[in-house]
Amino acid sequence: MTVVDEKNTTENKHESVFHRLYVGSGVFDVVGVRKRWYLFFGALVLVCVASMGVKGFNFGIDFEGGTQIQLPANGKSGQITEERAKEVFASALGKPADEAQKVGSGVSSTIQLRSDTLDSAEVAKVKQALFEQLGPIGSSGQPSVQAISDSAVSASWGGEISRQALIALGVFLLAVTLFLALYFDPRMAAAALVTLLNDIVVTAGVYSLIGFEVTPATVIGLLTILGFSLYDTVVVFDKVRENTRGLLGLTRRTYGEAANLALNQTLMRSFNTSLIAALPILGLLVIGYILLGSGTLQELALVQLTGTIVGVLSSVALATPLLVDFKMRDPKYRQQADRVASRRANQARKAAERDDDFDPNDEDALEAELRKEKAYAAAASVPARNQKAHKGRPSGKRKR
């Protein structure tokens, strides 16, 4: 090997990880260490299930029912805080409100108090106490008891939303399974379905762990993230199908290696897509909740942000490894992997006999070796030409 060749080889081996990630040359062996990813996702799901079983969810008034009292956050003595409103509520009824939340900003901000279902006498008592102690300013610019409103929510409405959401989720999963089974194959459909279920459990578990209120907006957000997770999984699977077309007749790569290469080739696309999707969600979370103080935006943004992160991670590190394990249960793919191993062992033996540094796992070296073998085969198939021996001097112009 010349000095130039050694220099080029060294440069290839020391290429930037980010460059290899960008060109998709297989820098990350995700499939090869899939057991570690299984342990990671298994532990994550176990924590989420345990939290849902022990801690449960913080269901909002739309699911549990109750009474909501709303008043302007501007009072006769200045801004009314959530803590102060809860103190007045507790002093009026002798029991605290379940939740106090500030919604909006500036002169249009309001305080929402939520509690168990109250009768008309209790509602009137709370409203009178809020008016006397806080003096919320109404539209006339003066403290007014009419500025305090109340509403009752039935738990049956939230139950109906939950039932419709579960029906929609079941129909969605069934449609996804049929689509992937027809467009790809049943094993890809099974891997995608397991990935979607993982995303649902982890996203729900994060809500249980953090303790954010579960509202209809949360349910809607949960259904939207499933589409994003499925899209990313389909992109990866489509590249896997392209890389593995006709694989059973070849001995260059196993199915797992071809799938891992496809995963690396779509990795930057997956990360870029998730980043672009996460930016507006972060804007929704920061601007909508921190600046505007909207609880609905908070709940919607959290479920979408969690689902986006979990969705891209599971489509990369769970869906494809599961697909490889499902495929390798087929004897045809196991036999093809045995042929690949046998060919590489044969090449390694030949390289050892030549005493060179050929590495059958090196893509560039393997490509060069294949070209060399094709050249040898082509040369062997061409018959050698028998050249006539010329006596005397070389032939030149014929003498007249």
Side-chain angles (χ1 to χ4, degrees):
M1 180 180 291
T2 64
V3 177
V4 177
D5 293 335
E6 291 179 356
K7 183 179 179 180
N8 292 336
T9 303
T10 304
E11 290 177 353
N12 291 334
K13 290 182 179 180
H14 293 84
E15 279 183 346
S16 170
V17 173
F18 294 102
H19 173 74
R20 296 183 64 188
L21 175 63
Y22 181 78
V23 299
S25 58
V27 64
F28 295 113
D29 186 14
V30 178
V31 174
V33 295
R34 55 186 179 274
K35 290 184 178 180
R36 298 179 184 177
W37 287 111
Y38 293 160
L39 290 175
F40 169 76
F41 282 106
L44 186 61
V45 169
L46 184 62
V47 170
C48 292
V49 171
S51 176
M52 288 185 287
V54 176
K55 188 177 180 181
F57 295 98
N58 179 23
F59 288 105
I61 190 173
D62 299 312
F63 290 96
E64 293 188 339
T67 300
Q68 176 175 287
I69 299 176
Q70 182 171 305
L71 67 152
N74 296 315
K76 61 183 180 181
S77 300
Q79 284 289 317
I80 302 174
T81 63
E82 299 95 312
E83 291 76 12
R84 179 60 178 148
K86 290 183 71 173
E87 290 176 1
V88 174
F89 184 98
S91 64
L93 296 182
K95 60 181 180 179
D98 293 337
E99 182 184 0
Q101 186 177 50
K102 186 176 182 180
V103 179
S105 61
V107 295
S108 62
S109 60
T110 59
I111 300 293
Q112 293 179 351
L113 294 169
R114 298 177 179 178
S115 68
D116 296 337
T117 303
L118 305 177
D119 56 32
S120 57
E122 290 175 323
V123 171
K125 190 175 182 180
V126 172
K127 293 172 70 173
Q128 186 64 31
L130 291 171
F131 170 70
E132 293 176 354
Q133 299 186 41
L134 302 179
I137 298 176
S139 57
S140 62
Q142 298 296 325
S144 172
V145 70
Q146 284 76 25
I148 308 174
S149 61
D150 66 278
S151 59
V153 180
S154 173
S156 61
W157 186 71
E160 180 65 18
I161 291 179
S162 301
R163 187 177 69 85
Q164 295 296 332
L166 290 176
I167 293 175
L169 178 61
V171 173
F172 174 80
L173 294 178
L174 179 61
V176 165
T177 304
L178 293 176
F179 168 75
L180 292 178
L182 296 175
Y183 185 72
F184 292 114
D185 63 59
R187 283 164 290 198
M188 285 188 173
L193 185 60
V194 173
T195 303
L196 285 177
L197 293 175
N198 171 83
D199 296 344
I200 295 173
V201 172
V202 173
T203 303
V206 169
Y207 253 80
S208 175
L209 288 168
I210 297 179
F212 273 23
E213 189 178 46
V214 178
T215 65
T218 307
V219 178
I220 295 172
L222 181 63
L223 293 177
T224 60
I225 65 167
L226 297 181
F228 175 83
S229 175
L230 177 64
Y231 164 78
D232 205 35
T233 302
V234 168
V235 169
V236 178
F237 280 4
D238 194 56
K239 191 62 178 178
V240 171
R241 184 176 63 172
E242 178 183 337
N243 284 8
T244 57
R245 186 176 290 112
L247 184 72
L248 294 176
L250 304 175
T251 58
R252 182 177 181 181
R253 293 189 184 93
T254 64
Y255 188 91
E257 293 168 347
N260 190 77
L261 179 61
L263 191 61
N264 279 267
Q265 290 170 337
T266 57
L267 203 56
M268 282 302 298
R269 178 175 179 176
S270 299
F271 287 164
N272 289 337
T273 303
S274 62
L275 178 62
I276 293 173
L279 288 177
I281 297 174
L282 284 173
L284 186 69
L285 182 63
V286 174
I287 298 175
Y289 174 61
I290 297 179
L291 298 183
L292 299 180
S294 175
T296 301
L297 294 180
Q298 166 197 353
E299 296 140 12
L300 181 62
L302 178 63
V303 68
Q304 289 187 335
L305 183 62
T306 304
T308 300
I309 296 174
V310 174
V312 69
L313 183 61
S314 63
S315 65
V316 169
L318 181 61
T320 306
L322 282 174
L323 172 62
V324 171
D325 278 335
F326 291 160
K327 284 284 189 179
M328 294 309 294
R329 293 182 179 181
D330 191 333
K332 295 183 295 184
Y333 288 97
R334 291 201 301 268
Q335 293 169 6
Q336 189 268 345
D338 293 339
R339 292 196 301 271
V340 172
S342 176
R343 180 178 181 276
R344 290 179 179 174
N346 187 40
Q347 288 179 336
R349 179 181 55 79
K350 291 180 180 179
E353 292 175 355
R354 293 195 305 266
D355 194 22
D356 59 15
D357 56 353
F358 171 73
D359 182 6
N361 293 319
D362 190 314
E363 290 291 333
D364 296 333
L366 181 58
E367 188 71 30
E369 188 67 17
L370 290 174
R371 289 197 301 267
K372 188 184 298 183
E373 289 183 2
K374 291 180 180 178
Y376 287 156
S381 63
V382 177
R385 292 189 297 176
N386 295 324
Q387 297 181 355
K388 295 182 179 179
H390 295 281
K391 295 181 180 181
R393 61 181 179 178
S395 60
K397 291 184 179 180
R398 184 180 297 175
K399 290 186 178 181
R400 294 184 182 273

